[in-house]
């Protein structure tokens, strides 16, 4: 197999990784698919897609993720949220993994994380699986072929699914491990073939590095008005809240669907592709994302398909609810060619409320925005993490706690400064349940959510009549054209309004109890916005 280009002075041997079998550098998509099929890693699907199962791990393993506790990061890591690993244990893990890799073939991809050259991170991914090389080639940004001749990796990820960690020997929790060593600029991933660990490891790196440069890293999607990058919107939210779906608006230009930075120059995508959930995906509701599932090179992960016709079943969740597809950004027709936007004019915080209490949209003051950003209330949706089989109400600070190496207030203050500098409007959007909690109520109608968002983004919603929500104190529109008025008042959607009051009181107290941890670290205006 013909190799791609690589900096001749920065091969794996120059990084102390020797004794491997064949090493394939920077293969492009056809070669990676050819290798993956030949090696039996999956099947070639319709349109040239690659169909793959990730085995036991069909979601991230956050309890198996560790940060190496070195002196250089000792005082800057949020240790309550990040599991520490002893440096000596990491060194043993590293040595054992390299020994395990001896004689085996590996696939190397040299890629950029970040569309803004001033703030990008140069990342090398060393993958045991050819399809992992294809996946990360989609999800990160691909240098021009000539740029590879001088590419020097700043961080290296070694992903070896066949390697099993030893908890006692390596200082981890199980045979699965994701270990980040900021000092050695190295990430080790073992005993999981779930490809999302690759991209989220890079996101964690940027979440640590960028705040030191005054750049706000965000777990959000982003788009801007067609022909007007100055009208940019960002959509914060955890997996399953609608970041990908709602940002892929055909009337706006897509900047990216998951991870972005907010610098003094504006917004920039970290990635070069999308990693979309496909459960119940339809050509009618989401035609562009649906179409990627039959395009050349798209990685179709953990989906049931007919073994003869290879037709995908978008409704069969017998493998996992977390079925996904990974594809390059340019597979979406309205995607930005530069992946750059201006200063956000609107900041939207997406929540999936499984209690059925929150309205479909609410206008937030800057202080309330900070309160809800630090709270990060949502519901973990099935499949995105190991063991999650139904929506679980949770608070994930900054709408991305699993990927936050620093304390939440670091990100919160950065966002507060950015909103103050730009005067961005802030909105809370509930894509969860209405008319009752999960199990009794119904999921918020996507059509209504789209209408409300469009009104917020084009400025027309600002002219609506608002009421003050008695539970949370934010402003809720009373009526919006083409949206059922009853939907805007969640209490009225419940058959038993008294039961709604009980549920709302419970949720208010959950917010207050969770937010107590941030009170000593926040400004008075945000403290005043706290409820309970």
């Amino acid at each position: 197999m013909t190799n791609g280009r690589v900096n001749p002075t920065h091969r794996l041997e120059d990084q102390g990784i020797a004794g491997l079998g064949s090493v394939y550098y920077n293969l492009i998509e056809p070669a990676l698919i050819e290798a993956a099929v030949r090696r039996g890693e999956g099947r070639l699907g319709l349109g040239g897609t690659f169909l793959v199962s990730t085995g036991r791990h069909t979601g991230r393993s956050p309890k198996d993720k560790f940060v190496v506790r070195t002196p250089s990061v000792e005082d800057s890591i949020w240790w309550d949220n990040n599991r520490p690993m002893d440096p000596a244990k990491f060194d043993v893990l590293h040595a054992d993994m390299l020994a395990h890799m001896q004689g085996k073939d590996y696939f190397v991809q040299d890629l950029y994380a970040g569309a803004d050259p001033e703030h990008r991170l140069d990342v090398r991914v060393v993958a045991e699986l050819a399809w992992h090389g294809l996946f990360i080639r989609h999800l990160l940004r691909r240098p021009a072929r000539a740029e590879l001749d001088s590419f020097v990796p700043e961080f290296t990820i070694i992903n070896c699914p066949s390697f099993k960690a030893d908890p006692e020997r390596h200082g981890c929790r199980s045979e699965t491990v994701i270990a980040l060593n900021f000092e050695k600029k190295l990430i080790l991933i073992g005993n999981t073939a779930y490809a999302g660990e690759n991209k989220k490891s890079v996101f964690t790196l940027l979440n640590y590095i960028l705040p030191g440069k005054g750049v706000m890293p965000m777990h959000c999607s982003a788009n801007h008005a067609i022909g007007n990058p100055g009208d940019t919107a960002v959509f914060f939210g955890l997996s399953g809240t609608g970041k990908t779906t709602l940002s892929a608006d055909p009337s706006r230009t897509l900047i990216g669907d998951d991870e972005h930075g907010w610098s003094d120059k504006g917004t920039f995508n970290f990635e070069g592709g999308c990693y979309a959930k496909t459960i119940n995906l339809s050509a009618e509701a989401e035609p562009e994302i649906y179409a990627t599932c039959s395009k050349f090179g798209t990685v179709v992960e953990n989906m049931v398909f007919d073994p003869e016709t290879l037709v995908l079943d978008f409704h069969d969740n017998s493998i996992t609810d977390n079925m996904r597809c990974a594809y390059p950004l340019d597979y979406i027709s309205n995607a930005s060619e530069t992946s750059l936007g201006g200063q956000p004019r609107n900041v939207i915080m997406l929540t999936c409320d499984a209690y059925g209490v929150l309205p479909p949209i609410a206008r937030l003051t800057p202080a309330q925005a900070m309160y809800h950003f630090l709270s990060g209330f949502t519901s973990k949706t099935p499949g995105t993490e190991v063991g999650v089989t139904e929506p679980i109400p949770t608070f994930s600070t900054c709408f991305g706690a699993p990927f936050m190496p620093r304390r939440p207030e670091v990100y919160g203050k950065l966002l507060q400064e950015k909103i103050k500098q730009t005067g961005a409007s802030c909105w809370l959007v509930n894509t969860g349940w209405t008319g009752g909690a999960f199990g009794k109520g119904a999921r918020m109608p996507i059509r209504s959510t789209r209408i409300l968002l469009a009104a917020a983004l084009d400025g027309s919603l600002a002219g609506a009549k608002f009421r003050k929500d008695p539970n949370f104190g934010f402003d809720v529109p009373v009526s919006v054209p083409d949206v059922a008025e009853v939907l805007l008042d969640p209490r009225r959607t419940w058959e038993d309004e008294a039961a709604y009051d009980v549920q709302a009181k419970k949720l208010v107290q959950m917010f207050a109890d969770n937010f107590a941890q941030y009170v000593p670290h926040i400004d008075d205006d945000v403290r005043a916005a706290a409820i309970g």
Side-chain angles (χ1 to χ4, degrees), residues 134-453:
L134 177 65
F135 171 92
I136 202 64
R137 185 171 171 79
H138 290 335
L139 267 296
L140 293 185
R141 304 187 65 82
R142 298 161 291 282
R145 303 304 284 173
E147 292 178 299
L148 294 171
D149 294 339
S150 57
F151 186 97
V152 178
E154 297 172 67
F155 275 82
T156 297
I157 299 172
I158 301 176
N159 191 318
C160 189
S162 66
F163 176 83
K164 296 182 184 298
D166 180 331
E168 184 175 349
R169 179 173 171 82
H170 301 136
C172 50
R173 188 187 72 98
S174 72
E175 292 181 336
T176 302
V177 65
I178 303 98
L180 288 73
N181 192 322
F182 288 102
E183 197 166 274
K184 293 193 172 183
K185 298 188 174 183
L186 182 63
I187 298 175
L188 305 178
I189 302 174
N191 195 46
T192 171
Y194 181 65
E197 298 288 10
N198 294 293
K199 84 177 220 95
K200 289 306 184 185
S201 293
V202 175
F203 186 36
T204 304
L205 290 178
L206 291 167
N207 279 339
Y208 182 77
I209 294 166
L210 291 181
K213 302 169 70 175
V215 177
M216 173 67 185
M218 303 178 291
H219 189 208
C220 72
S221 56
N223 63 26
H224 67 70
I226 294 175
N228 183 12
D231 183 6
T232 290
V234 297
F235 302 75
F236 286 99
L238 287 178
S239 178
T241 56
K243 292 193 311 302
T244 299
T245 297
L246 296 173
S247 59
D249 182 341
S251 67
R252 293 174 66 85
T253 297
L254 177 67
I255 302 172
D257 84 322
D258 197 40
E259 299 165 5
H260 293 78
W262 184 349
S263 72
D264 291 339
K265 295 190 298 184
T267 310
F268 63 96
N269 193 356
F270 290 166
E271 301 182 301
C274 301
Y275 190 32
K277 294 191 75 170
T278 56
I279 186 168
N280 298 324
L281 194 64
S282 72
E284 295 73 29
E286 298 172 90
E288 295 248 40
I289 299 173
Y290 184 88
T292 68
C293 295
S294 58
K295 290 190 175 183
F296 178 78
T298 293
V299 175
V300 177
E301 191 179 73
N302 295 320
M303 286 191 68
V304 174
F305 57 89
D306 186 292
E308 294 182 11
T309 66
L310 303 178
V311 172
L312 300 172
D313 189 333
F314 291 87
H315 306 288
D316 189 336
N317 65 347
S318 57
I319 298 176
T320 178
D321 287 289
N322 195 35
M323 56 180 78
R324 289 181 179 263
C325 62
Y327 51 89
L329 196 62
D330 60 15
Y331 277 10
I332 302 297
S333 63
N334 64 325
S336 167
E337 293 182 3
T338 64
S339 293
L340 300 173
Q343 298 292 344
R345 185 174 294 176
N346 285 279
V347 173
I348 294 103
M349 297 181 187
L350 301 171
T351 181
C352 177
D353 174 20
Y355 282 99
V357 169
L358 295 175
I361 195 166
R363 183 174 61 189
L364 306 176
T365 66
Q368 288 171 337
M370 189 56 47
Y371 177 77
H372 284 277
F373 180 71
L374 288 176
S375 297
F377 171 70
T378 191
S379 301
K380 291 181 181 178
T381 52
T384 52
E385 291 184 11
V386 174
V388 178
T389 57
E390 64 180 46
I392 300 174
T394 188
F395 291 88
S396 184
T397 188
C398 309
F399 295 100
F403 325 116
M404 301 297 170
R406 296 180 183 269
R407 276 204 60 85
E409 297 82 17
V410 173
Y411 308 103
K413 288 178 180 177
L414 262 174
L415 182 62
Q416 190 174 27
E417 291 169 3
K418 300 293 185 187
I419 291 173
K420 183 178 180 180
Q421 290 166 5
T422 63
S425 298
C426 302
W427 307 88
L428 182 71
V429 172
N430 175 25
T431 62
W433 275 258
T434 184
F438 170 75
K440 187 168 185 180
R443 197 74 190 260
M444 197 69 70
I446 183 69
R447 180 178 178 274
S448 297
T449 301
R450 290 189 188 279
I451 291 171
L452 292 168
L453 268 177

Side-chain angles (χ1 to χ4, degrees), residues 25-100:
Y25 290 95
N26 297 309
L27 299 182
I28 62 173
E29 290 79 1
L32 288 166
I33 293 172
E34 181 185 25
V37 171
R38 189 184 69 248
R39 290 157 54 91
E41 296 176 3
R43 290 191 64 178
L44 192 65
L46 297 176
T49 59
F50 188 71
L51 313 178
V52 67
S53 168
T54 62
R56 183 167 68 91
H57 292 86
T58 57
R60 290 180 293 102
S61 302
K63 293 180 180 179
D64 294 306
K65 186 176 179 179
F66 296 83
V67 174
V68 180
R69 197 164 197 158
T70 56
S72 62
V73 302
E74 173 66 38
D75 297 330
S76 53
I77 296 293
W78 180 25
W79 294 113
D80 290 343
N81 185 61
N82 293 270
R83 296 166 185 263
M85 175 177 282
D86 182 85
K89 294 288 189 181
F90 178 87
D91 290 344
V92 175
L93 173 67
H94 186 202
D96 287 352
M97 186 173 284
L98 292 181
H100 174 85

